[in-house]
Amino acid sequence: MALIVHKYGGTSMGSTDRIKNVAKRVAKWHDAGYQIVVVPSAMSGETNRIIGLAKEISADPDPRELDMIASTGEQVSVGLLALALQALGKKAVSYAGWQVPIKTDSSYTKARIASIDDAKVSADLADGKIVIITGFQGVDDLGNITTLGRGGSDTSAVAIAAALKAQECLIYTDVDGVYTTDPRVVSDARRLNTVTFEEMLEMASLGSKVLQIRSVEFAGNYRMPTRVLSSLTDPLMPLAEEIISGTLISFEEDTNMEQATITGIAFNRDEAKLTVFGVPDKPGIAYQILGPIADANIEVDMIIQNQSVDGKTDFTFTVPRGDYNKAMEVLNESVKAHIGAGNIIGDAKVSKVSVVGVGMRSHVGIASQMFRTLSDEGINIQMISTSEIKISVLIDEKYMELAVRALHKAFELEAA
Ligand code: ASP
Ligand code: MG
């Protein structure tokens, strides 16, 4: 019997009425002959609320205790959903991560899944039960409860689907799929029927918030077909329609992709840029600048080092805006201590806009079309970075939405 994993986000689990709707949908799938494992998030707002309580007591809460607290939202969800399914006459059983168990490492608040034991769950499924497992949480080797980072239920669901060799992982959320860009910025953004795993990975890392990036990595590593679809439709809609709705994250060679060179425009508003001027152009400099930044646990994204003039060069890089002040401090110290370079300047009002598409591999001229479009709008490009399937530019944040709209139009991504 085919096994399907369903994941429901916080909005979908947001009230007891919504949970009853989730139960109806799950029961419908079960009635159609599928084995079902459900992985819900905490009810919307709940994780924020309980983390807020911790912060009322401590400005810098002990991460172990924070995970003990943060993980409880999902425990309420699974119990409520089990009750709702039982009320519909289904056999349903809920488990916390440690009961499965879902083993993780011990990095509290951002733990990584190490293994998932399928024995108990498989036995329940064989017994006709619907199994409901908490998203977001796991347990380390010593029995401590861990969480997988905010938005981590997506990762739980895909990892559970992979461990149980499910046919598909369905991520039910408050949007009906993955769009060419954020519909709040471009009103005629179009829903994609399919997106390749690689494109999804780029879009997730470039700022699209539909899925937690690690869940996409799991989907890719285990080749788990994963579909993003709406939980806000009629829970009793015909299964045949539901099965093909949303956006399927696919593996390029398996599907007939939509014929477009560019698949989407991603953006990230919250970037910041730091530049060190007059850096001596000699071995070890990049490491001396970026090593301390990495040691401070700050993620560096784009990097540019200019051609040197008279043995000196400029070195620019970007970091998430939330880390800007810290990065500036670290940079000031390390430059003073080791490099003896000139000025440091920064700009925390920059945004990154990217065009993404596997079609880039087989089409030339995407970069020039992108740059022409931005130039036509009078938008200055501060930095550029590329991969095989994306081109990103850093621009003044004032022009971010304008750039996204212009590029969406230039690459003809709008709905027909
Ligand atoms: N409840 C957790 C959070 O709010 C995990 C999730 O929703 O995916 O981040
Ligand atoms: Mg989420």
Side-chain angles (χ1 to χ4, degrees):
M1 213 187 295
L3 167 69
I4 304 272
V5 172
H6 284 198
K7 184 260 170 178
Y8 291 90
T11 315
S12 320
M13 298 292 293
S15 65
T16 47
D17 280 337
R18 290 207 172 153
I19 292 175
K20 288 180 192 167
N21 274 338
V22 167
K24 281 186 201 157
R25 194 182 296 275
V26 170
K28 173 185 73 180
W29 279 79
H30 195 253
D31 289 340
Y34 290 97
Q35 292 187 330
I36 304 287
V37 172
V38 191
V39 181
S41 291
M43 296 170 80
S44 59
E46 192 54 20
T47 310
N48 285 344
R49 188 185 70 83
I50 51 190
I51 290 178
L53 293 178
K55 298 212 160 142
E56 278 175 27
I57 292 186
S58 162
D60 186 20
D62 173 11
R64 181 190 181 278
E65 303 313 325
L66 199 55
D67 276 359
M68 177 63 91
I69 297 160
S71 61
T72 59
E74 273 68 11
Q75 205 166 313
V76 174
S77 288
V78 292
L80 290 174
L81 184 54
L83 292 181
L85 280 160
Q86 288 167 2
L88 297 177
K90 291 290 182 188
K91 289 200 278 184
V93 58
S94 67
Y95 292 117
W98 63 269
Q99 291 176 300
V100 174
I102 298 174
K103 287 283 190 69
T104 70
D105 63 18
S106 303
S107 10
Y108 299 115
T109 75
K110 46 177 184 298
R112 287 188 171 265
I113 295 177
S115 66
I116 297 178
D117 187 336
D118 63 358
K120 198 173 338 193
V121 179
S122 298
D124 288 328
L125 290 170
D127 194 25
K129 289 181 186 140
I130 295 169
V131 180
I132 309 158
I133 304 173
T134 49
F136 185 48
Q137 54 162 275
V139 62
D140 76 0
D141 273 341
L142 298 173
N144 299 300
I145 291 177
T146 55
T147 69
L148 310 182
R150 298 307 305 272
S153 300
D154 294 337
T155 301
S156 307
V158 179
I160 288 168
L164 296 170
K165 303 192 171 54
Q167 177 179 304
E168 207 172 288
C169 181
L170 304 181
I171 311 268
Y172 288 90
T173 179
D174 52 357
V175 293
D176 64 352
V178 179
Y179 278 71
T180 49
T181 195
D182 187 336
R184 282 167 300 191
V185 173
V186 180
S187 58
D188 58 359
R190 180 170 46 88
R191 182 172 60 77
L192 298 160
N193 288 322
T194 57
V195 61
T196 68
F197 139 72
E198 290 170 286
E199 289 167 332
M200 194 62 213
L201 204 55
E202 289 283 9
M203 308 233 265
S205 64
L206 293 170
S208 155
K209 302 261 172 350
V210 181
L211 286 180
Q212 198 202 33
I213 183 159
R214 265 201 227 160
S215 71
V216 186
E217 286 166 5
F218 257 102
N221 290 345
Y222 293 94
R223 300 186 74 75
M224 174 52 56
T226 299
R227 189 182 293 275
V228 177
L229 66 175
S230 173
S231 69
L232 305 175
T233 52
D234 175 4
L236 299 179
M237 79 189 269
L239 202 66
E241 258 172 59
E242 190 169 317
I243 274 174
I244 55 164
S245 69
T247 301
L248 177 66
I249 299 169
S250 68
F251 301 91
E252 215 175 339
E253 43 279 22
D254 303 348
T255 37
N256 197 4
M257 298 303 300
E258 287 155 272
Q259 288 300 304
T261 46
I262 294 303
T263 304
I265 314 287
F267 57 83
N268 194 346
R269 296 176 200 273
D270 300 324
E271 303 267 332
K273 178 177 83 162
L274 297 96
T275 302
V276 201
F277 289 106
V279 179
D281 190 11
K282 61 174 198 212
I285 282 297
Y287 175 65
Q288 279 173 19
I289 293 175
L290 296 183
I293 299 280
D295 293 344
N297 236 323
I298 299 172
E299 227 176 285
V300 170
D301 180 18
M302 301 168 111
I303 303 170
I304 288 187
Q305 185 186 320
N306 292 345
Q307 273 297 2
S308 62
V309 178
D310 300 332
K312 300 254 176 193
T313 182
D314 302 336
F315 193 94
T316 304
F317 59 97
T318 63
V319 298
R321 199 174 289 176
D323 290 331
Y324 175 67
N325 288 335
K326 193 158 138 217
M328 201 44 130
E329 251 170 58
V330 172
L331 193 59
N332 268 310
E333 258 167 49
S334 58
V335 165
K336 236 183 266 151
H338 307 293
I339 304 168
N343 253 345
I344 300 171
I345 62 159
D347 183 355
K349 291 191 167 157
V350 288
S351 297
K352 185 170 65 169
V353 176
S354 314
V355 300
V356 179
V358 290
M360 251 181 239
R361 290 202 181 109
S362 50
H363 287 79
V364 294
I366 305 292
S368 69
Q369 187 174 354
M370 180 182 193
F371 301 155
R372 176 166 13 100
T373 305
L374 296 172
S375 137
D376 287 347
E377 299 294 341
I379 299 171
N380 184 41
I381 300 172
Q382 304 181 6
M383 294 172 85
I384 301 170
S385 73
T386 65
S387 79
E388 240 195 318
I389 64 162
K390 73 118 202 278
I391 305 166
S392 299
V393 296
L394 193 76
I395 60 175
D396 188 326
E397 69 168 9
K398 294 204 282 266
Y399 302 121
M400 204 269 321
E401 298 205 355
L402 173 63
V404 171
R405 278 194 285 268
L407 291 167
H408 197 267
K409 191 142 200 275
F411 289 103
E412 296 174 5
L413 292 175
E414 61 272 70

